[in-house]
mmCIF file of all heavy atoms in Angstrom:
data_model
loop_
_atom_site.group_PDB
_atom_site.id
_atom_site.type_symbol
_atom_site.label_atom_id
_atom_site.label_comp_id
_atom_site.label_asym_id
_atom_site.label_seq_id
_atom_site.Cartn_x
_atom_site.Cartn_y
_atom_site.Cartn_z
ATOM 1 N N PHE A 1136 0.777 2.064 -1.027
ATOM 2 C CA PHE A 1136 1.679 3.203 -1.135
ATOM 3 C C PHE A 1136 1.068 4.495 -0.602
ATOM 4 O O PHE A 1136 1.376 5.584 -1.062
ATOM 5 C CB PHE A 1136 2.159 3.356 -2.583
ATOM 6 C CG PHE A 1136 2.902 2.148 -3.049
ATOM 7 C CD1 PHE A 1136 2.466 1.427 -4.135
ATOM 8 C CD2 PHE A 1136 4.030 1.728 -2.373
ATOM 9 C CE1 PHE A 1136 3.153 0.296 -4.556
ATOM 10 C CE2 PHE A 1136 4.725 0.594 -2.784
ATOM 11 C CZ PHE A 1136 4.275 -0.121 -3.880
ATOM 12 N N TYR A 1137 0.147 4.333 0.327
ATOM 13 C CA TYR A 1137 -0.352 5.490 1.074
ATOM 14 C C TYR A 1137 -0.724 4.971 2.445
ATOM 15 O O TYR A 1137 -0.650 3.766 2.691
ATOM 16 C CB TYR A 1137 -1.542 6.160 0.355
ATOM 17 C CG TYR A 1137 -2.551 5.185 -0.184
ATOM 18 C CD1 TYR A 1137 -3.566 4.697 0.629
ATOM 19 C CD2 TYR A 1137 -2.471 4.719 -1.495
ATOM 20 C CE1 TYR A 1137 -4.485 3.773 0.145
ATOM 21 C CE2 TYR A 1137 -3.378 3.787 -1.978
ATOM 22 C CZ TYR A 1137 -4.380 3.325 -1.168
ATOM 23 O OH TYR A 1137 -5.277 2.401 -1.635
ATOM 24 N N ASN A 1138 -1.118 5.852 3.347
ATOM 25 C CA ASN A 1138 -1.329 5.426 4.727
ATOM 26 C C ASN A 1138 -2.707 4.787 4.905
ATOM 27 O O ASN A 1138 -3.734 5.431 4.660
ATOM 28 C CB ASN A 1138 -1.161 6.635 5.659
ATOM 29 C CG ASN A 1138 -1.197 6.230 7.104
ATOM 30 O OD1 ASN A 1138 -2.270 5.964 7.648
ATOM 31 N ND2 ASN A 1138 -0.043 6.150 7.731
ATOM 32 N N ARG A 1140 -4.485 3.740 7.513
ATOM 33 C CA ARG A 1140 -5.417 4.285 8.511
ATOM 34 C C ARG A 1140 -6.060 5.566 7.977
ATOM 35 O O ARG A 1140 -7.275 5.752 8.069
ATOM 36 C CB ARG A 1140 -4.684 4.569 9.827
ATOM 37 C CG ARG A 1140 -5.581 5.232 10.855
ATOM 38 C CD ARG A 1140 -4.934 5.401 12.219
ATOM 39 N NE ARG A 1140 -5.882 6.092 13.063
ATOM 40 C CZ ARG A 1140 -5.869 7.412 13.285
ATOM 41 N NH1 ARG A 1140 -4.927 8.158 12.766
ATOM 42 N NH2 ARG A 1140 -6.804 7.959 14.046
ATOM 43 N N LEU A 1144 -10.042 6.271 7.267
ATOM 44 C CA LEU A 1144 -10.792 7.380 7.877
ATOM 45 C C LEU A 1144 -11.402 8.304 6.826
ATOM 46 O O LEU A 1144 -12.415 8.951 7.072
ATOM 47 C CB LEU A 1144 -9.873 8.211 8.779
ATOM 48 C CG LEU A 1144 -9.465 7.571 10.102
ATOM 49 C CD1 LEU A 1144 -8.398 8.425 10.777
ATOM 50 C CD2 LEU A 1144 -10.673 7.420 11.016
ATOM 51 N N ASN A 1181 -27.814 33.423 15.104
ATOM 52 C CA ASN A 1181 -26.806 34.363 14.608
ATOM 53 C C ASN A 1181 -25.710 34.649 15.636
ATOM 54 O O ASN A 1181 -25.981 34.653 16.834
ATOM 55 C CB ASN A 1181 -27.469 35.704 14.245
ATOM 56 C CG ASN A 1181 -27.944 35.728 12.807
ATOM 57 O OD1 ASN A 1181 -27.547 34.894 11.991
ATOM 58 N ND2 ASN A 1181 -28.796 36.690 12.504
ATOM 59 N N THR A 1200 -1.580 44.651 7.853
ATOM 60 C CA THR A 1200 -0.437 43.733 7.923
ATOM 61 C C THR A 1200 -0.310 43.158 9.328
ATOM 62 O O THR A 1200 0.006 41.977 9.500
ATOM 63 C CB THR A 1200 0.857 44.458 7.499
ATOM 64 O OG1 THR A 1200 0.642 45.039 6.215
ATOM 65 C CG2 THR A 1200 2.032 43.514 7.407
ATOM 66 N N HIS A 1203 -3.636 40.788 10.136
ATOM 67 C CA HIS A 1203 -3.628 39.444 9.539
ATOM 68 C C HIS A 1203 -2.275 38.748 9.685
ATOM 69 O O HIS A 1203 -2.051 37.702 9.091
ATOM 70 C CB HIS A 1203 -3.992 39.523 8.055
ATOM 71 C CG HIS A 1203 -5.297 40.187 7.769
ATOM 72 N ND1 HIS A 1203 -6.495 39.709 8.242
ATOM 73 C CD2 HIS A 1203 -5.609 41.318 7.064
ATOM 74 C CE1 HIS A 1203 -7.484 40.503 7.831
ATOM 75 N NE2 HIS A 1203 -6.971 41.487 7.124
ATOM 76 N N THR A 1246 -6.882 17.227 19.727
ATOM 77 C CA THR A 1246 -5.767 16.457 19.143
ATOM 78 C C THR A 1246 -4.440 16.928 19.734
ATOM 79 O O THR A 1246 -3.560 16.119 20.020
ATOM 80 C CB THR A 1246 -5.711 16.560 17.600
ATOM 81 O OG1 THR A 1246 -5.716 17.923 17.207
ATOM 82 C CG2 THR A 1246 -6.888 15.849 16.964
ATOM 83 N N ALA A 1251 -0.075 15.715 23.413
ATOM 84 C CA ALA A 1251 0.844 16.255 24.416
ATOM 85 C C ALA A 1251 0.990 15.331 25.620
ATOM 86 O O ALA A 1251 2.062 15.267 26.216
ATOM 87 C CB ALA A 1251 0.353 17.632 24.884
ATOM 88 N N LEU A 1253 -0.410 11.812 25.916
ATOM 89 C CA LEU A 1253 -0.409 10.353 25.741
ATOM 90 C C LEU A 1253 0.917 9.857 25.177
ATOM 91 O O LEU A 1253 1.491 10.475 24.282
ATOM 92 C CB LEU A 1253 -1.520 9.914 24.782
ATOM 93 C CG LEU A 1253 -2.970 10.094 25.209
ATOM 94 C CD1 LEU A 1253 -3.894 9.507 24.144
ATOM 95 C CD2 LEU A 1253 -3.259 9.447 26.556
ATOM 96 N N ASP A 1255 2.509 6.198 23.422
ATOM 97 C CA ASP A 1255 1.952 5.085 22.637
ATOM 98 C C ASP A 1255 1.306 4.032 23.541
ATOM 99 O O ASP A 1255 1.928 3.561 24.495
ATOM 100 C CB ASP A 1255 3.032 4.408 21.803
ATOM 101 C CG ASP A 1255 3.433 5.248 20.594
ATOM 102 O OD1 ASP A 1255 3.160 6.461 20.597
ATOM 103 O OD2 ASP A 1255 4.025 4.679 19.660
ATOM 104 N N GLU A 1268 -15.829 11.247 17.184
ATOM 105 C CA GLU A 1268 -14.477 11.589 16.730
ATOM 106 C C GLU A 1268 -13.426 11.420 17.834
ATOM 107 O O GLU A 1268 -12.228 11.398 17.553
ATOM 108 C CB GLU A 1268 -14.428 13.025 16.174
ATOM 109 C CG GLU A 1268 -15.206 13.218 14.888
ATOM 110 C CD GLU A 1268 -14.734 12.337 13.735
ATOM 111 O OE1 GLU A 1268 -13.715 12.642 13.110
ATOM 112 O OE2 GLU A 1268 -15.413 11.318 13.483
ATOM 113 N N ASN A 1275 -5.153 8.911 16.866
ATOM 114 C CA ASN A 1275 -4.132 9.745 16.210
ATOM 115 C C ASN A 1275 -2.916 9.919 17.119
ATOM 116 O O ASN A 1275 -1.779 9.961 16.661
ATOM 117 C CB ASN A 1275 -4.704 11.119 15.847
ATOM 118 C CG ASN A 1275 -3.680 11.984 15.141
ATOM 119 O OD1 ASN A 1275 -3.280 11.690 14.018
ATOM 120 N ND2 ASN A 1275 -3.204 13.026 15.819
ATOM 121 N N ARG A 1277 -1.948 7.757 19.067
ATOM 122 C CA ARG A 1277 -1.501 6.371 19.313
ATOM 123 C C ARG A 1277 -1.918 5.869 20.692
ATOM 124 O O ARG A 1277 -1.253 5.046 21.308
ATOM 125 C CB ARG A 1277 0.011 6.221 19.112
ATOM 126 C CG ARG A 1277 0.487 6.770 17.774
ATOM 127 C CD ARG A 1277 0.822 5.695 16.788
ATOM 128 N NE ARG A 1277 1.068 6.288 15.469
ATOM 129 C CZ ARG A 1277 1.812 5.730 14.516
ATOM 130 N NH1 ARG A 1277 2.376 4.571 14.715
ATOM 131 N NH2 ARG A 1277 1.971 6.321 13.352
ATOM 132 N N TYR A 1345 -4.813 12.920 33.494
ATOM 133 C CA TYR A 1345 -5.313 14.247 33.123
ATOM 134 C C TYR A 1345 -6.811 14.207 32.882
ATOM 135 O O TYR A 1345 -7.315 13.300 32.201
ATOM 136 C CB TYR A 1345 -4.597 14.746 31.860
ATOM 137 C CG TYR A 1345 -3.112 14.865 32.077
ATOM 138 C CD1 TYR A 1345 -2.251 13.828 31.730
ATOM 139 C CD2 TYR A 1345 -2.569 15.988 32.686
ATOM 140 C CE1 TYR A 1345 -0.886 13.915 31.958
ATOM 141 C CE2 TYR A 1345 -1.203 16.092 32.925
ATOM 142 C CZ TYR A 1345 -0.373 15.039 32.566
ATOM 143 O OH TYR A 1345 0.970 15.129 32.808
ATOM 144 N N GLY A 1386 -17.251 27.754 11.732
ATOM 145 C CA GLY A 1386 -16.312 27.636 10.620
ATOM 146 C C GLY A 1386 -15.018 28.393 10.824
ATOM 147 O O GLY A 1386 -14.054 28.182 10.080
ATOM 148 N N GLU A 1387 -14.964 29.276 11.831
ATOM 149 C CA GLU A 1387 -13.780 30.147 11.947
ATOM 150 C C GLU A 1387 -12.642 29.519 12.737
ATOM 151 O O GLU A 1387 -11.548 30.076 12.799
ATOM 152 C CB GLU A 1387 -14.164 31.516 12.512
ATOM 153 C CG GLU A 1387 -15.248 32.231 11.715
ATOM 154 C CD GLU A 1387 -14.924 32.430 10.239
ATOM 155 O OE1 GLU A 1387 -13.832 32.041 9.807
ATOM 156 O OE2 GLU A 1387 -15.795 32.963 9.520
ATOM 157 N N LYS A 1403 5.581 22.026 32.244
ATOM 158 C CA LYS A 1403 6.061 20.975 31.338
ATOM 159 C C LYS A 1403 4.928 20.494 30.428
ATOM 160 O O LYS A 1403 5.128 20.247 29.251
ATOM 161 C CB LYS A 1403 6.639 19.806 32.138
ATOM 162 C CG LYS A 1403 7.997 20.166 32.698
ATOM 163 C CD LYS A 1403 8.726 18.960 33.248
ATOM 164 C CE LYS A 1403 10.136 19.404 33.635
ATOM 165 N NZ LYS A 1403 10.845 18.362 34.373
ATOM 166 N N ARG A 1413 2.954 22.321 17.409
ATOM 167 C CA ARG A 1413 3.968 22.511 16.369
ATOM 168 C C ARG A 1413 4.056 21.262 15.482
ATOM 169 O O ARG A 1413 4.080 21.353 14.252
ATOM 170 C CB ARG A 1413 5.292 22.757 17.095
ATOM 171 C CG ARG A 1413 6.464 23.037 16.212
ATOM 172 C CD ARG A 1413 7.713 23.276 17.071
ATOM 173 N NE ARG A 1413 8.887 23.168 16.254
ATOM 174 C CZ ARG A 1413 10.126 23.055 16.719
ATOM 175 N NH1 ARG A 1413 10.350 23.056 18.024
ATOM 176 N NH2 ARG A 1413 11.148 22.957 15.889
ATOM 177 N N SER A 1414 4.064 20.101 16.117
ATOM 178 C CA SER A 1414 4.215 18.850 15.388
ATOM 179 C C SER A 1414 3.037 18.586 14.449
ATOM 180 O O SER A 1414 3.210 18.111 13.332
ATOM 181 C CB SER A 1414 4.360 17.704 16.386
ATOM 182 O OG SER A 1414 4.556 16.482 15.738
ATOM 183 N N LEU A 1415 1.828 18.929 14.891
ATOM 184 C CA LEU A 1415 0.628 18.663 14.091
ATOM 185 C C LEU A 1415 0.411 19.720 13.005
ATOM 186 O O LEU A 1415 -0.491 19.588 12.176
ATOM 187 C CB LEU A 1415 -0.606 18.587 14.995
ATOM 188 C CG LEU A 1415 -0.605 17.453 16.034
ATOM 189 C CD1 LEU A 1415 -1.751 17.627 17.027
ATOM 190 C CD2 LEU A 1415 -0.721 16.099 15.359
ATOM 191 N N TYR A 1417 -0.041 23.135 13.619
ATOM 192 C CA TYR A 1417 -0.816 24.306 14.065
ATOM 193 C C TYR A 1417 0.151 25.427 14.435
ATOM 194 O O TYR A 1417 0.672 25.462 15.544
ATOM 195 C CB TYR A 1417 -1.686 23.943 15.269
ATOM 196 C CG TYR A 1417 -2.806 22.989 14.940
ATOM 197 C CD1 TYR A 1417 -2.739 21.652 15.283
ATOM 198 C CD2 TYR A 1417 -3.932 23.437 14.251
ATOM 199 C CE1 TYR A 1417 -3.767 20.768 14.964
ATOM 200 C CE2 TYR A 1417 -4.963 22.557 13.926
ATOM 201 C CZ TYR A 1417 -4.874 21.232 14.290
ATOM 202 O OH TYR A 1417 -5.897 20.374 13.973
ATOM 203 N N SER A 1422 -5.636 34.720 13.117
ATOM 204 C CA SER A 1422 -5.289 35.927 13.870
ATOM 205 C C SER A 1422 -6.443 36.927 13.990
ATOM 206 O O SER A 1422 -6.632 37.517 15.046
ATOM 207 C CB SER A 1422 -4.047 36.589 13.282
ATOM 208 O OG SER A 1422 -4.168 36.755 11.900
ATOM 209 N N PHE B 1438 5.029 11.291 32.550
ATOM 210 C CA PHE B 1438 3.569 11.269 32.420
ATOM 211 C C PHE B 1438 3.056 12.274 31.398
ATOM 212 O O PHE B 1438 1.952 12.786 31.508
ATOM 213 C CB PHE B 1438 2.909 11.467 33.786
ATOM 214 C CG PHE B 1438 3.293 10.386 34.748
ATOM 215 C CD1 PHE B 1438 3.930 10.676 35.922
ATOM 216 C CD2 PHE B 1438 3.025 9.058 34.433
ATOM 217 C CE1 PHE B 1438 4.294 9.667 36.800
ATOM 218 C CE2 PHE B 1438 3.387 8.041 35.301
ATOM 219 C CZ PHE B 1438 4.033 8.343 36.492
ATOM 220 N N TYR B 1439 3.909 12.586 30.431
ATOM 221 C CA TYR B 1439 3.454 13.354 29.279
ATOM 222 C C TYR B 1439 4.312 12.891 28.113
ATOM 223 O O TYR B 1439 5.234 12.097 28.294
ATOM 224 C CB TYR B 1439 3.569 14.858 29.528
ATOM 225 C CG TYR B 1439 4.850 15.273 30.196
ATOM 226 C CD1 TYR B 1439 5.998 15.494 29.442
ATOM 227 C CD2 TYR B 1439 4.931 15.410 31.572
ATOM 228 C CE1 TYR B 1439 7.185 15.858 30.056
ATOM 229 C CE2 TYR B 1439 6.122 15.758 32.195
ATOM 230 C CZ TYR B 1439 7.236 15.984 31.433
ATOM 231 O OH TYR B 1439 8.410 16.320 32.046
ATOM 232 N N ASN B 1440 4.005 13.366 26.929
ATOM 233 C CA ASN B 1440 4.690 12.850 25.750
ATOM 234 C C ASN B 1440 6.060 13.497 25.580
ATOM 235 O O ASN B 1440 6.180 14.708 25.417
ATOM 236 C CB ASN B 1440 3.813 13.079 24.520
ATOM 237 C CG ASN B 1440 4.387 12.403 23.299
ATOM 238 O OD1 ASN B 1440 5.352 12.887 22.714
ATOM 239 N ND2 ASN B 1440 3.831 11.270 22.931
ATOM 240 N N ARG B 1442 8.390 13.404 23.202
ATOM 241 C CA ARG B 1442 8.720 14.090 21.944
ATOM 242 C C ARG B 1442 8.060 15.471 21.909
ATOM 243 O O ARG B 1442 8.694 16.469 21.558
ATOM 244 C CB ARG B 1442 8.256 13.252 20.747
ATOM 245 C CG ARG B 1442 8.490 13.963 19.429
ATOM 246 C CD ARG B 1442 8.184 13.118 18.196
ATOM 247 N NE ARG B 1442 8.363 13.945 17.030
ATOM 248 C CZ ARG B 1442 7.384 14.586 16.399
ATOM 249 N NH1 ARG B 1442 6.131 14.441 16.800
ATOM 250 N NH2 ARG B 1442 7.642 15.353 15.348
ATOM 251 N N LEU B 1446 9.887 19.140 21.685
ATOM 252 C CA LEU B 1446 9.613 20.128 20.629
ATOM 253 C C LEU B 1446 9.116 21.446 21.202
ATOM 254 O O LEU B 1446 9.289 22.502 20.597
ATOM 255 C CB LEU B 1446 8.547 19.587 19.662
ATOM 256 C CG LEU B 1446 8.989 18.489 18.712
ATOM 257 C CD1 LEU B 1446 7.779 17.936 17.954
ATOM 258 C CD2 LEU B 1446 10.024 19.036 17.720
ATOM 259 N N ASN B 1483 1.470 45.171 2.545
ATOM 260 C CA ASN B 1483 0.043 45.081 2.866
ATOM 261 C C ASN B 1483 -0.696 44.059 1.992
ATOM 262 O O ASN B 1483 -0.338 43.876 0.835
ATOM 263 C CB ASN B 1483 -0.629 46.441 2.651
ATOM 264 C CG ASN B 1483 -0.579 47.298 3.898
ATOM 265 O OD1 ASN B 1483 -0.326 46.805 5.005
ATOM 266 N ND2 ASN B 1483 -0.814 48.591 3.731
ATOM 267 N N THR B 1502 -24.649 33.715 9.868
ATOM 268 C CA THR B 1502 -24.652 32.312 10.285
ATOM 269 C C THR B 1502 -24.068 31.426 9.185
ATOM 270 O O THR B 1502 -23.334 30.473 9.466
ATOM 271 C CB THR B 1502 -26.089 31.866 10.645
ATOM 272 O OG1 THR B 1502 -26.601 32.779 11.610
ATOM 273 C CG2 THR B 1502 -26.108 30.474 11.244
ATOM 274 N N HIS B 1505 -20.043 32.396 8.680
ATOM 275 C CA HIS B 1505 -19.118 31.847 9.677
ATOM 276 C C HIS B 1505 -19.414 30.378 9.995
ATOM 277 O O HIS B 1505 -18.853 29.827 10.937
ATOM 278 C CB HIS B 1505 -19.199 32.662 10.975
ATOM 279 C CG HIS B 1505 -18.931 34.118 10.796
ATOM 280 N ND1 HIS B 1505 -17.736 34.599 10.331
ATOM 281 C CD2 HIS B 1505 -19.707 35.212 11.022
ATOM 282 C CE1 HIS B 1505 -17.785 35.935 10.287
ATOM 283 N NE2 HIS B 1505 -18.976 36.326 10.701
ATOM 284 N N THR B 1548 1.553 18.685 6.999
ATOM 285 C CA THR B 1548 1.356 17.594 7.969
ATOM 286 C C THR B 1548 0.267 16.642 7.475
ATOM 287 O O THR B 1548 0.386 15.432 7.626
ATOM 288 C CB THR B 1548 0.988 18.108 9.383
ATOM 289 O OG1 THR B 1548 -0.115 18.993 9.312
ATOM 290 C CG2 THR B 1548 2.159 18.828 10.025
ATOM 291 N N ALA B 1553 -0.928 11.419 5.173
ATOM 292 C CA ALA B 1553 -1.744 10.682 4.204
ATOM 293 C C ALA B 1553 -0.930 9.668 3.417
ATOM 294 O O ALA B 1553 -1.440 8.616 3.058
ATOM 295 C CB ALA B 1553 -2.422 11.650 3.236
ATOM 296 N N LEU B 1555 2.676 8.691 4.090
ATOM 297 C CA LEU B 1555 3.763 7.946 4.727
ATOM 298 C C LEU B 1555 3.225 6.844 5.631
ATOM 299 O O LEU B 1555 2.263 7.045 6.363
ATOM 300 C CB LEU B 1555 4.640 8.869 5.578
ATOM 301 C CG LEU B 1555 5.462 9.950 4.880
ATOM 302 C CD1 LEU B 1555 6.323 10.688 5.906
ATOM 303 C CD2 LEU B 1555 6.359 9.362 3.796
ATOM 304 N N ASP B 1557 4.761 4.184 8.728
ATOM 305 C CA ASP B 1557 5.837 4.255 9.733
ATOM 306 C C ASP B 1557 7.190 3.871 9.131
ATOM 307 O O ASP B 1557 7.320 2.810 8.509
ATOM 308 C CB ASP B 1557 5.532 3.314 10.898
ATOM 309 C CG ASP B 1557 4.464 3.881 11.822
ATOM 310 O OD1 ASP B 1557 3.711 4.769 11.375
ATOM 311 O OD2 ASP B 1557 4.383 3.437 12.982
ATOM 312 N N GLU B 1570 11.303 23.057 9.883
ATOM 313 C CA GLU B 1570 10.118 22.363 10.403
ATOM 314 C C GLU B 1570 9.779 21.109 9.601
ATOM 315 O O GLU B 1570 9.001 20.265 10.067
ATOM 316 C CB GLU B 1570 8.903 23.297 10.455
ATOM 317 C CG GLU B 1570 9.016 24.431 11.451
ATOM 318 C CD GLU B 1570 9.224 23.969 12.899
ATOM 319 O OE1 GLU B 1570 8.248 23.551 13.537
ATOM 320 O OE2 GLU B 1570 10.381 24.026 13.355
ATOM 321 N N ASN B 1577 6.380 13.685 12.682
ATOM 322 C CA ASN B 1577 5.006 13.590 13.191
ATOM 323 C C ASN B 1577 4.262 12.452 12.478
ATOM 324 O O ASN B 1577 3.454 11.752 13.089
ATOM 325 C CB ASN B 1577 4.250 14.904 12.981
ATOM 326 C CG ASN B 1577 2.832 14.819 13.505
ATOM 327 O OD1 ASN B 1577 2.629 14.744 14.715
ATOM 328 N ND2 ASN B 1577 1.848 14.792 12.631
ATOM 329 N N ARG B 1579 5.630 9.885 11.546
ATOM 330 C CA ARG B 1579 6.466 8.704 11.843
ATOM 331 C C ARG B 1579 7.328 8.292 10.649
ATOM 332 O O ARG B 1579 7.632 7.117 10.460
ATOM 333 C CB ARG B 1579 5.607 7.529 12.324
ATOM 334 C CG ARG B 1579 4.678 7.925 13.473
ATOM 335 C CD ARG B 1579 5.101 7.350 14.786
ATOM 336 N NE ARG B 1579 4.285 7.910 15.859
ATOM 337 C CZ ARG B 1579 4.137 7.342 17.053
ATOM 338 N NH1 ARG B 1579 4.738 6.217 17.343
ATOM 339 N NH2 ARG B 1579 3.411 7.921 17.985
ATOM 340 N N TYR B 1647 5.804 10.181 -4.065
ATOM 341 C CA TYR B 1647 5.033 11.410 -4.236
ATOM 342 C C TYR B 1647 5.956 12.622 -4.235
ATOM 343 O O TYR B 1647 6.846 12.734 -3.378
ATOM 344 C CB TYR B 1647 3.994 11.559 -3.109
ATOM 345 C CG TYR B 1647 3.018 10.419 -3.103
ATOM 346 C CD1 TYR B 1647 3.209 9.318 -2.273
ATOM 347 C CD2 TYR B 1647 1.925 10.416 -3.967
ATOM 348 C CE1 TYR B 1647 2.337 8.239 -2.301
ATOM 349 C CE2 TYR B 1647 1.048 9.336 -3.992
ATOM 350 C CZ TYR B 1647 1.259 8.258 -3.158
ATOM 351 O OH TYR B 1647 0.389 7.199 -3.197
ATOM 352 N N GLY B 1688 -1.348 35.050 9.281
ATOM 353 C CA GLY B 1688 -2.025 34.644 10.506
ATOM 354 C C GLY B 1688 -3.369 33.999 10.278
ATOM 355 O O GLY B 1688 -3.931 33.398 11.190
ATOM 356 N N GLU B 1689 -3.908 34.123 9.061
ATOM 357 C CA GLU B 1689 -5.293 33.666 8.851
ATOM 358 C C GLU B 1689 -5.403 32.193 8.499
ATOM 359 O O GLU B 1689 -6.501 31.642 8.438
ATOM 360 C CB GLU B 1689 -6.002 34.537 7.817
ATOM 361 C CG GLU B 1689 -5.981 36.024 8.145
ATOM 362 C CD GLU B 1689 -6.601 36.375 9.509
ATOM 363 O OE1 GLU B 1689 -7.091 35.477 10.212
ATOM 364 O OE2 GLU B 1689 -6.564 37.562 9.863
ATOM 365 N N LYS B 1705 -7.851 7.669 -4.204
ATOM 366 C CA LYS B 1705 -7.479 7.021 -2.944
ATOM 367 C C LYS B 1705 -6.557 7.917 -2.132
ATOM 368 O O LYS B 1705 -6.678 8.025 -0.906
ATOM 369 C CB LYS B 1705 -6.826 5.667 -3.210
ATOM 370 C CG LYS B 1705 -7.849 4.640 -3.657
ATOM 371 C CD LYS B 1705 -7.311 3.235 -3.597
ATOM 372 C CE LYS B 1705 -8.459 2.265 -3.881
ATOM 373 N NZ LYS B 1705 -7.995 0.915 -4.131
ATOM 374 N N ARG B 1715 -8.843 14.755 9.067
ATOM 375 C CA ARG B 1715 -9.789 14.414 10.142
ATOM 376 C C ARG B 1715 -9.029 13.947 11.389
ATOM 377 O O ARG B 1715 -9.300 14.384 12.504
ATOM 378 C CB ARG B 1715 -10.684 13.293 9.608
ATOM 379 C CG ARG B 1715 -11.762 12.831 10.522
ATOM 380 C CD ARG B 1715 -12.582 11.735 9.834
ATOM 381 N NE ARG B 1715 -13.366 11.031 10.831
ATOM 382 C CZ ARG B 1715 -13.985 9.876 10.631
ATOM 383 N NH1 ARG B 1715 -13.922 9.290 9.447
ATOM 384 N NH2 ARG B 1715 -14.674 9.317 11.607
ATOM 385 N N SER B 1716 -8.049 13.085 11.191
ATOM 386 C CA SER B 1716 -7.303 12.518 12.310
ATOM 387 C C SER B 1716 -6.518 13.586 13.067
ATOM 388 O O SER B 1716 -6.426 13.568 14.291
ATOM 389 C CB SER B 1716 -6.359 11.443 11.774
ATOM 390 O OG SER B 1716 -5.652 10.838 12.810
ATOM 391 N N LEU B 1717 -5.953 14.539 12.352
ATOM 392 C CA LEU B 1717 -5.133 15.575 12.984
ATOM 393 C C LEU B 1717 -5.985 16.690 13.608
ATOM 394 O O LEU B 1717 -5.461 17.573 14.281
ATOM 395 C CB LEU B 1717 -4.166 16.183 11.955
ATOM 396 C CG LEU B 1717 -3.125 15.211 11.369
ATOM 397 C CD1 LEU B 1717 -2.391 15.864 10.193
ATOM 398 C CD2 LEU B 1717 -2.115 14.789 12.428
ATOM 399 N N TYR B 1719 -8.203 18.726 11.826
ATOM 400 C CA TYR B 1719 -8.551 19.827 10.903
ATOM 401 C C TYR B 1719 -9.953 19.576 10.359
ATOM 402 O O TYR B 1719 -10.134 18.827 9.396
ATOM 403 C CB TYR B 1719 -7.548 19.904 9.761
ATOM 404 C CG TYR B 1719 -6.173 20.338 10.210
ATOM 405 C CD1 TYR B 1719 -5.130 19.432 10.347
ATOM 406 C CD2 TYR B 1719 -5.920 21.667 10.514
ATOM 407 C CE1 TYR B 1719 -3.864 19.844 10.760
ATOM 408 C CE2 TYR B 1719 -4.659 22.085 10.926
ATOM 409 C CZ TYR B 1719 -3.637 21.166 11.041
ATOM 410 O OH TYR B 1719 -2.400 21.576 11.453
ATOM 411 N N SER B 1724 -13.685 29.584 7.586
ATOM 412 C CA SER B 1724 -14.704 29.743 6.540
ATOM 413 C C SER B 1724 -14.732 31.134 5.915
ATOM 414 O O SER B 1724 -14.892 31.256 4.700
ATOM 415 C CB SER B 1724 -16.075 29.346 7.069
ATOM 416 O OG SER B 1724 -16.353 29.994 8.274
#
Side-chain angles (χ1 to χ4, degrees):
Chain A
F1136 299 120
Y1137 44 85
N1138 187 283
R1140 176 174 178 263
L1144 287 172
N1181 271 344
T1200 306
H1203 304 299
T1246 53
L1253 293 184
D1255 285 19
E1268 293 301 282
N1275 181 67
R1277 308 255 171 155
Y1345 299 94
E1387 304 304 358
K1403 285 192 174 171
R1413 183 179 164 194
S1414 182
L1415 297 170
Y1417 292 104
S1422 50
Chain B
F1438 300 120
Y1439 43 84
N1440 188 284
R1442 176 174 176 264
L1446 287 173
N1483 271 343
T1502 306
H1505 304 298
T1548 53
L1555 294 184
D1557 284 20
E1570 293 301 282
N1577 180 69
R1579 308 252 172 160
Y1647 299 96
E1689 305 303 358
K1705 287 194 173 168
R1715 182 179 164 194
S1716 182
L1717 297 170
Y1719 292 103
S1724 51

